[in-house]
Amino acid sequence: MINTNNTLLEIRNLSVTYPTRRGEVKAVENLSLTVPAGGRLCLVGESGCGKSTVLHAILRLLRPPGRITNGELLFRGRDLRKLRAKEIQGVRGKEISMIFQDPLTTLNPVFPVGEQIRESLRLHQIIPGLSLPWPLDIIRRKQEKEIVLKAMQEVGIPSPMDRYSIYPHQFSGGMQQRALIALALVCGPALLLADEPTTSLDVTIQAQILDLMLKINQDHNTTIVMVTHDLGVAAEFCDTIAVMYAGRIVEIGPAETIVIHPHHPYTRGLLTCRPHIGEKAQQVKPIEGNVPDLTHLPPGCAFAPRCPLAQTVCEQGPVPLIQVEKNVLTRCLQPVDNRRDPSWTWDQIVRI
Ligand SMILES: Nc1ncnc2c1ncn2[C@@H]1O[C@H](COP(=O)(O)OP(=O)(O)OP(=O)(O)O)[C@@H](O)[C@H]1O
Ligand SMILES: [Mg+2]
């Protein structure tokens, strides 16, 4: 999981808050993780646990009034927090790209899709010379259009020539997502941040988009950090899973281990509440209770009020991430034997 020699992105002790009238929303608290070049990491967790906030913080695109209160965001060894506004603009889209949670709000409805992708090339001067005189300007536009058509073809948009000039609403949901991936990749970024890129799609299109992202990762060695609330999607796609709860990482490790032998009761709960084909609705066990109010977090483990294994010690003070096996860190004070007992099933311990 952690490969310090080949690290592309390292987040150290990141904390983000949204000051509100009700108090400070501690959306991300002391979060650290490392992503090697060419790696695929998924941030998984329930709604409101801070996944999007982490991605927005990396690109310094936090929704107002969000602000980073602590931490370092080291990308290729440079702290993105310390870059000036112009420098971070140069990073966005060129070195680090992002697919936002809602595809339709990213694409501008009044511009043809192909032109929107070309705009990114123009802004970052991928073909040098921003205001060349005619006819050099026409040559540059032609070269940019060729790159866009190639990108559209690569992400599986059929007949890119015809689709270059049509508008976002004329694309289906799956095609819009492909167009966004083309937009994100056209400048050849080293890191792609993808916020729930498959959530609004049906399962067949979802599988195609995951395959496409996997292909991009393999063909171009593009590092991908993806957000999802579905552990199944994460298991299929990434090599490392970081499970978040109430703004903190509660478990991080290789995808296979996290899905097959989860240590944290929350991870286990997430797995048990996934529906499986052939199961009746009653067999799906939701995790009882709700995500805590992020303005008034409990002093101990934030999951303790919902955790069937919780004991007094869990509620007394902050719980650190503890190494429980090779490359697996878990924020849980329960003895390993309790958590790994094969007779221990969520069905037995969930209070329903
Ligand atoms: N602009 C804002 N002002 C105040 N609070 C905010 C703002 N944006 C997010 N939050 C709060 O920060 C917390 C984390 O939000 P975030 O959007 O990062 O969660 P998420 O894990 O991406 O959720 P989802 O799966 O629903 O997208 C939530 O409690 C949310 O209500
Ligand atoms: Mg989100």
Side-chain angles (χ1 to χ4, degrees), residues 1-15:
M1 170 191 57
I2 295 169
N3 181 353
T4 41
N5 301 329
N6 192 21
T7 299
L8 184 76
L9 175 74
E10 185 179 356
I11 302 180
R12 287 190 196 154
N13 307 319
L14 176 70
S15 296

Side-chain angles (χ1 to χ4, degrees), residues 187-207:
C187 295
L191 175 62
L192 175 65
L193 308 174
D195 196 350
E196 309 236 15
T198 58
T199 300
S200 54
L201 307 172
D202 66 62
V203 278
T204 37
I205 307 290
Q206 191 175 66

Side-chain angles (χ1 to χ4, degrees), residues 18-20 25 27 45-54 63-66 101 195-196 227 229 294:
Y18 295 97
T20 65
V25 177
E46 282 169 291
S47 187
C49 68
K51 308 178 297 291
S52 299
T53 301
V54 174
R63 289 163 291 198
Q101 199 161 351
D195 196 350
E196 309 236 15
V227 158
H229 56 261
L294 297 183

